[in-house]
PDB file of all heavy atoms in Angstrom:
ATOM      1  N   ILE A   1      26.112-119.776  36.203  1.00  0.00           N
ATOM      2  CA  ILE A   1      26.842-120.927  36.770  1.00  0.00           C
ATOM      3  C   ILE A   1      27.175-121.994  35.755  1.00  0.00           C
ATOM      4  O   ILE A   1      28.287-122.541  35.720  1.00  0.00           O
ATOM      5  CB  ILE A   1      25.949-121.552  37.923  1.00  0.00           C
ATOM      6  CG1 ILE A   1      25.814-120.566  39.115  1.00  0.00           C
ATOM      7  CG2 ILE A   1      26.476-122.902  38.360  1.00  0.00           C
ATOM      8  CD1 ILE A   1      24.791-120.977  40.231  1.00  0.00           C
ATOM      9  N   ILE A   2      26.116-122.176  34.864  1.00  0.00           N
ATOM     10  CA  ILE A   2      26.345-123.117  33.802  1.00  0.00           C
ATOM     11  C   ILE A   2      27.512-122.649  32.886  1.00  0.00           C
ATOM     12  O   ILE A   2      28.378-123.430  32.467  1.00  0.00           O
ATOM     13  CB  ILE A   2      25.103-123.336  32.964  1.00  0.00           C
ATOM     14  CG1 ILE A   2      24.023-124.014  33.893  1.00  0.00           C
ATOM     15  CG2 ILE A   2      25.348-124.171  31.758  1.00  0.00           C
ATOM     16  CD1 ILE A   2      22.733-124.184  33.314  1.00  0.00           C
ATOM     17  N   THR A   3      27.545-121.296  32.509  1.00  0.00           N
ATOM     18  CA  THR A   3      28.596-120.778  31.687  1.00  0.00           C
ATOM     19  C   THR A   3      29.959-120.918  32.336  1.00  0.00           C
ATOM     20  O   THR A   3      30.917-121.310  31.610  1.00  0.00           O
ATOM     21  CB  THR A   3      28.264-119.259  31.418  1.00  0.00           C
ATOM     22  OG1 THR A   3      26.925-119.176  30.805  1.00  0.00           O
ATOM     23  CG2 THR A   3      29.359-118.652  30.459  1.00  0.00           C
ATOM     24  N   LEU A   4      29.974-120.644  33.571  1.00  0.00           N
ATOM     25  CA  LEU A   4      31.291-120.781  34.231  1.00  0.00           C
ATOM     26  C   LEU A   4      31.770-122.127  34.306  1.00  0.00           C
ATOM     27  O   LEU A   4      32.994-122.429  34.024  1.00  0.00           O
ATOM     28  CB  LEU A   4      31.160-120.286  35.688  1.00  0.00           C
ATOM     29  CG  LEU A   4      30.987-118.757  35.903  1.00  0.00           C
ATOM     30  CD1 LEU A   4      30.755-118.375  37.320  1.00  0.00           C
ATOM     31  CD2 LEU A   4      32.232-117.971  35.320  1.00  0.00           C
ATOM     32  N   VAL A   5      30.795-123.100  34.530  1.00  0.00           N
ATOM     33  CA  VAL A   5      31.210-124.507  34.483  1.00  0.00           C
ATOM     34  C   VAL A   5      31.691-124.794  33.123  1.00  0.00           C
ATOM     35  O   VAL A   5      32.697-125.571  32.899  1.00  0.00           O
ATOM     36  CB  VAL A   5      30.004-125.360  34.911  1.00  0.00           C
ATOM     37  CG1 VAL A   5      30.335-126.842  34.730  1.00  0.00           C
ATOM     38  CG2 VAL A   5      29.681-125.155  36.409  1.00  0.00           C
ATOM     39  N   GLN A   6      30.924-124.415  32.149  1.00  0.00           N
ATOM     40  CA  GLN A   6      31.344-124.715  30.720  1.00  0.00           C
ATOM     41  C   GLN A   6      32.663-124.166  30.402  1.00  0.00           C
ATOM     42  O   GLN A   6      33.592-124.824  29.749  1.00  0.00           O
ATOM     43  CB  GLN A   6      30.282-124.257  29.681  1.00  0.00           C
ATOM     44  CG  GLN A   6      30.469-124.545  28.324  1.00  0.00           C
ATOM     45  CD  GLN A   6      30.376-126.022  28.054  1.00  0.00           C
ATOM     46  OE1 GLN A   6      29.445-126.695  28.560  1.00  0.00           O
ATOM     47  NE2 GLN A   6      31.218-126.566  27.211  1.00  0.00           N
ATOM     48  N   LEU A   7      32.808-122.880  30.695  1.00  0.00           N
ATOM     49  CA  LEU A   7      34.228-122.243  30.442  1.00  0.00           C
ATOM     50  C   LEU A   7      35.335-122.927  31.090  1.00  0.00           C
ATOM     51  O   LEU A   7      36.419-123.119  30.585  1.00  0.00           O
ATOM     52  CB  LEU A   7      34.186-120.733  30.714  1.00  0.00           C
ATOM     53  CG  LEU A   7      33.228-119.915  29.961  1.00  0.00           C
ATOM     54  CD1 LEU A   7      33.249-118.419  30.516  1.00  0.00           C
ATOM     55  CD2 LEU A   7      33.602-119.931  28.458  1.00  0.00           C
ATOM     56  N   THR A   8      35.018-123.237  32.416  1.00  0.00           N
ATOM     57  CA  THR A   8      36.132-123.984  33.119  1.00  0.00           C
ATOM     58  C   THR A   8      36.380-125.299  32.488  1.00  0.00           C
ATOM     59  O   THR A   8      37.614-125.735  32.316  1.00  0.00           O
ATOM     60  CB  THR A   8      35.647-124.183  34.598  1.00  0.00           C
ATOM     61  OG1 THR A   8      35.332-123.015  35.169  1.00  0.00           O
ATOM     62  CG2 THR A   8      36.754-124.933  35.403  1.00  0.00           C
ATOM     63  N   TRP A   9      35.379-125.963  32.014  1.00  0.00           N
ATOM     64  CA  TRP A   9      35.610-127.289  31.413  1.00  0.00           C
ATOM     65  C   TRP A   9      36.455-127.075  30.012  1.00  0.00           C
ATOM     66  O   TRP A   9      37.315-127.827  29.781  1.00  0.00           O
ATOM     67  CB  TRP A   9      34.342-127.913  31.078  1.00  0.00           C
ATOM     68  CG  TRP A   9      34.390-129.160  30.255  1.00  0.00           C
ATOM     69  CD1 TRP A   9      34.165-129.278  28.869  1.00  0.00           C
ATOM     70  CD2 TRP A   9      34.694-130.440  30.672  1.00  0.00           C
ATOM     71  NE1 TRP A   9      34.345-130.528  28.508  1.00  0.00           N
ATOM     72  CE2 TRP A   9      34.687-131.303  29.575  1.00  0.00           C
ATOM     73  CE3 TRP A   9      35.084-130.943  31.925  1.00  0.00           C
ATOM     74  CZ2 TRP A   9      35.031-132.673  29.693  1.00  0.00           C
ATOM     75  CZ3 TRP A   9      35.378-132.292  31.986  1.00  0.00           C
ATOM     76  CH2 TRP A   9      35.391-133.157  30.927  1.00  0.00           C
ATOM     77  N   ASP A  10      36.085-126.064  29.346  1.00  0.00           N
ATOM     78  CA  ASP A  10      36.746-125.738  28.015  1.00  0.00           C
ATOM     79  C   ASP A  10      38.185-125.370  28.191  1.00  0.00           C
ATOM     80  O   ASP A  10      39.116-125.714  27.502  1.00  0.00           O
ATOM     81  CB  ASP A  10      35.995-124.658  27.233  1.00  0.00           C
ATOM     82  CG  ASP A  10      34.617-125.182  26.654  1.00  0.00           C
ATOM     83  OD1 ASP A  10      34.428-126.387  26.673  1.00  0.00           O
ATOM     84  OD2 ASP A  10      33.850-124.315  26.399  1.00  0.00           O
ATOM     85  N   PHE A  11      38.397-124.579  29.290  1.00  0.00           N
ATOM     86  CA  PHE A  11      39.800-124.125  29.625  1.00  0.00           C
ATOM     87  C   PHE A  11      40.614-125.378  29.973  1.00  0.00           C
ATOM     88  O   PHE A  11      41.751-125.470  29.513  1.00  0.00           O
ATOM     89  CB  PHE A  11      39.728-123.094  30.838  1.00  0.00           C
ATOM     90  CG  PHE A  11      41.009-122.725  31.299  1.00  0.00           C
ATOM     91  CD1 PHE A  11      41.774-121.763  30.506  1.00  0.00           C
ATOM     92  CD2 PHE A  11      41.593-123.245  32.464  1.00  0.00           C
ATOM     93  CE1 PHE A  11      43.141-121.407  30.957  1.00  0.00           C
ATOM     94  CE2 PHE A  11      42.846-122.858  32.855  1.00  0.00           C
ATOM     95  CZ  PHE A  11      43.641-121.902  32.159  1.00  0.00           C
ATOM     96  N   LYS A  12      40.097-126.231  30.660  1.00  0.00           N
ATOM     97  CA  LYS A  12      40.915-127.398  31.070  1.00  0.00           C
ATOM     98  C   LYS A  12      41.091-128.224  29.859  1.00  0.00           C
ATOM     99  O   LYS A  12      42.182-128.806  29.689  1.00  0.00           O
ATOM    100  CB  LYS A  12      40.107-128.230  32.119  1.00  0.00           C
ATOM    101  CG  LYS A  12      40.123-127.629  33.471  1.00  0.00           C
ATOM    102  CD  LYS A  12      39.507-128.439  34.517  1.00  0.00           C
ATOM    103  CE  LYS A  12      39.463-127.782  35.936  1.00  0.00           C
ATOM    104  NZ  LYS A  12      38.798-128.647  36.924  1.00  0.00           N
ATOM    105  N   GLN A  13      40.156-128.324  28.941  1.00  0.00           N
ATOM    106  CA  GLN A  13      40.375-129.074  27.649  1.00  0.00           C
ATOM    107  C   GLN A  13      41.433-128.467  26.877  1.00  0.00           C
ATOM    108  O   GLN A  13      42.296-129.178  26.295  1.00  0.00           O
ATOM    109  CB  GLN A  13      38.956-129.172  27.023  1.00  0.00           C
ATOM    110  CG  GLN A  13      37.874-129.982  27.647  1.00  0.00           C
ATOM    111  CD  GLN A  13      38.352-131.461  27.625  1.00  0.00           C
ATOM    112  OE1 GLN A  13      38.961-132.046  26.758  1.00  0.00           O
ATOM    113  NE2 GLN A  13      37.982-132.143  28.836  1.00  0.00           N
ATOM    114  N   ASP A  14      41.396-127.073  26.748  1.00  0.00           N
ATOM    115  CA  ASP A  14      42.416-126.434  25.930  1.00  0.00           C
ATOM    116  C   ASP A  14      43.886-126.637  26.567  1.00  0.00           C
ATOM    117  O   ASP A  14      44.870-126.923  25.866  1.00  0.00           O
ATOM    118  CB  ASP A  14      42.150-124.942  25.838  1.00  0.00           C
ATOM    119  CG  ASP A  14      40.957-124.792  24.936  1.00  0.00           C
ATOM    120  OD1 ASP A  14      40.618-125.677  24.138  1.00  0.00           O
ATOM    121  OD2 ASP A  14      40.344-123.701  24.993  1.00  0.00           O
ATOM    122  N   VAL A  15      43.980-126.557  27.845  1.00  0.00           N
ATOM    123  CA  VAL A  15      45.226-126.690  28.553  1.00  0.00           C
ATOM    124  C   VAL A  15      45.660-128.121  28.323  1.00  0.00           C
ATOM    125  O   VAL A  15      46.920-128.350  28.084  1.00  0.00           O
ATOM    126  CB  VAL A  15      45.025-126.308  30.017  1.00  0.00           C
ATOM    127  CG1 VAL A  15      46.378-126.652  30.804  1.00  0.00           C
ATOM    128  CG2 VAL A  15      44.813-124.845  30.215  1.00  0.00           C
ATOM    129  N   ASN A  16      44.791-129.049  28.441  1.00  0.00           N
ATOM    130  CA  ASN A  16      45.142-130.448  28.199  1.00  0.00           C
ATOM    131  C   ASN A  16      45.736-130.703  26.799  1.00  0.00           C
ATOM    132  O   ASN A  16      46.635-131.406  26.604  1.00  0.00           O
ATOM    133  CB  ASN A  16      43.982-131.307  28.515  1.00  0.00           C
ATOM    134  CG  ASN A  16      43.625-131.432  29.969  1.00  0.00           C
ATOM    135  OD1 ASN A  16      44.502-131.126  30.807  1.00  0.00           O
ATOM    136  ND2 ASN A  16      42.382-131.718  30.342  1.00  0.00           N
ATOM    137  N   LYS A  17      45.058-129.971  25.757  1.00  0.00           N
ATOM    138  CA  LYS A  17      45.575-130.092  24.461  1.00  0.00           C
ATOM    139  C   LYS A  17      46.859-129.573  24.295  1.00  0.00           C
ATOM    140  O   LYS A  17      47.781-130.204  23.539  1.00  0.00           O
ATOM    141  CB  LYS A  17      44.563-129.362  23.503  1.00  0.00           C
ATOM    142  CG  LYS A  17      43.207-130.121  23.288  1.00  0.00           C
ATOM    143  CD  LYS A  17      42.354-129.239  22.304  1.00  0.00           C
ATOM    144  CE  LYS A  17      40.998-129.956  22.161  1.00  0.00           C
ATOM    145  NZ  LYS A  17      40.216-129.160  21.142  1.00  0.00           N
ATOM    146  N   ILE A  18      47.234-128.489  24.910  1.00  0.00           N
ATOM    147  CA  ILE A  18      48.595-127.862  24.834  1.00  0.00           C
ATOM    148  C   ILE A  18      49.634-128.845  25.489  1.00  0.00           C
ATOM    149  O   ILE A  18      50.649-129.111  24.931  1.00  0.00           O
ATOM    150  CB  ILE A  18      48.623-126.479  25.529  1.00  0.00           C
ATOM    151  CG1 ILE A  18      47.734-125.476  24.722  1.00  0.00           C
ATOM    152  CG2 ILE A  18      50.034-125.985  25.699  1.00  0.00           C
ATOM    153  CD1 ILE A  18      47.550-124.110  25.397  1.00  0.00           C
ATOM    154  N   GLU A  19      49.209-129.346  26.635  1.00  0.00           N
ATOM    155  CA  GLU A  19      50.096-130.204  27.338  1.00  0.00           C
ATOM    156  C   GLU A  19      50.313-131.527  26.444  1.00  0.00           C
ATOM    157  O   GLU A  19      51.424-132.115  26.455  1.00  0.00           O
ATOM    158  CB  GLU A  19      49.518-130.588  28.729  1.00  0.00           C
ATOM    159  CG  GLU A  19      49.600-129.412  29.657  1.00  0.00           C
ATOM    160  CD  GLU A  19      49.009-129.798  30.961  1.00  0.00           C
ATOM    161  OE1 GLU A  19      48.334-130.854  31.136  1.00  0.00           O
ATOM    162  OE2 GLU A  19      49.051-128.962  31.951  1.00  0.00           O
ATOM    163  N   GLU A  20      49.257-131.950  25.746  1.00  0.00           N
ATOM    164  CA  GLU A  20      49.411-133.188  24.956  1.00  0.00           C
ATOM    165  C   GLU A  20      50.355-132.783  23.758  1.00  0.00           C
ATOM    166  O   GLU A  20      51.079-133.645  23.250  1.00  0.00           O
ATOM    167  CB  GLU A  20      47.993-133.588  24.383  1.00  0.00           C
ATOM    168  CG  GLU A  20      47.146-134.218  25.441  1.00  0.00           C
ATOM    169  CD  GLU A  20      45.754-134.548  24.910  1.00  0.00           C
ATOM    170  OE1 GLU A  20      45.466-134.279  23.816  1.00  0.00           O
ATOM    171  OE2 GLU A  20      44.924-135.124  25.741  1.00  0.00           O
ATOM    172  N   SER A  21      50.184-131.522  23.271  1.00  0.00           N
ATOM    173  CA  SER A  21      51.114-131.115  22.143  1.00  0.00           C
ATOM    174  C   SER A  21      52.561-131.128  22.641  1.00  0.00           C
ATOM    175  O   SER A  21      53.445-131.619  21.916  1.00  0.00           O
ATOM    176  CB  SER A  21      50.724-129.730  21.635  1.00  0.00           C
ATOM    177  OG  SER A  21      49.396-129.803  21.101  1.00  0.00           O
ATOM    178  N   ILE A  22      52.841-130.638  23.793  1.00  0.00           N
ATOM    179  CA  ILE A  22      54.168-130.662  24.292  1.00  0.00           C
ATOM    180  C   ILE A  22      54.661-132.050  24.528  1.00  0.00           C
ATOM    181  O   ILE A  22      55.845-132.401  24.250  1.00  0.00           O
ATOM    182  CB  ILE A  22      54.220-129.852  25.685  1.00  0.00           C
ATOM    183  CG1 ILE A  22      53.926-128.353  25.408  1.00  0.00           C
ATOM    184  CG2 ILE A  22      55.569-129.979  26.312  1.00  0.00           C
ATOM    185  CD1 ILE A  22      53.746-127.517  26.619  1.00  0.00           C
ATOM    186  N   ALA A  23      53.701-132.903  24.958  1.00  0.00           N
ATOM    187  CA  ALA A  23      54.067-134.401  25.141  1.00  0.00           C
ATOM    188  C   ALA A  23      54.374-134.946  23.748  1.00  0.00           C
ATOM    189  O   ALA A  23      55.266-135.819  23.685  1.00  0.00           O
ATOM    190  CB  ALA A  23      52.939-135.069  25.886  1.00  0.00           C
ATOM    191  N   GLN A  24      53.610-134.603  22.817  1.00  0.00           N
ATOM    192  CA  GLN A  24      53.924-135.106  21.449  1.00  0.00           C
ATOM    193  C   GLN A  24      55.300-134.602  20.918  1.00  0.00           C
ATOM    194  O   GLN A  24      55.976-135.339  20.235  1.00  0.00           O
ATOM    195  CB  GLN A  24      52.757-134.544  20.447  1.00  0.00           C
ATOM    196  CG  GLN A  24      52.880-135.174  19.080  1.00  0.00           C
ATOM    197  CD  GLN A  24      51.710-134.654  18.179  1.00  0.00           C
ATOM    198  OE1 GLN A  24      50.911-133.944  18.634  1.00  0.00           O
ATOM    199  NE2 GLN A  24      51.744-135.129  16.973  1.00  0.00           N
ATOM    200  N   ILE A  25      55.691-133.323  21.286  1.00  0.00           N
ATOM    201  CA  ILE A  25      56.930-132.803  20.903  1.00  0.00           C
ATOM    202  C   ILE A  25      58.107-133.635  21.481  1.00  0.00           C
ATOM    203  O   ILE A  25      59.051-134.013  20.871  1.00  0.00           O
ATOM    204  CB  ILE A  25      57.125-131.371  21.323  1.00  0.00           C
ATOM    205  CG1 ILE A  25      56.161-130.418  20.453  1.00  0.00           C
ATOM    206  CG2 ILE A  25      58.521-130.844  21.163  1.00  0.00           C
ATOM    207  CD1 ILE A  25      56.047-129.069  20.911  1.00  0.00           C
ATOM    208  N   GLU A  26      57.869-134.068  22.719  1.00  0.00           N
ATOM    209  CA  GLU A  26      58.853-134.952  23.375  1.00  0.00           C
ATOM    210  C   GLU A  26      59.125-136.164  22.648  1.00  0.00           C
ATOM    211  O   GLU A  26      60.229-136.682  22.583  1.00  0.00           O
ATOM    212  CB  GLU A  26      58.497-135.057  24.824  1.00  0.00           C
ATOM    213  CG  GLU A  26      59.491-135.867  25.701  1.00  0.00           C
ATOM    214  CD  GLU A  26      59.013-136.072  27.093  1.00  0.00           C
ATOM    215  OE1 GLU A  26      57.877-135.569  27.484  1.00  0.00           O
ATOM    216  OE2 GLU A  26      59.808-136.626  27.892  1.00  0.00           O
TER     217      GLU A  26
END
């Protein structure tokens, strides 16, 4: 459960970074 929570959290963080990169491109 802790691993899933951690991976979910990391996944969201990575997706947010990509979206921030796209926003930076704009």
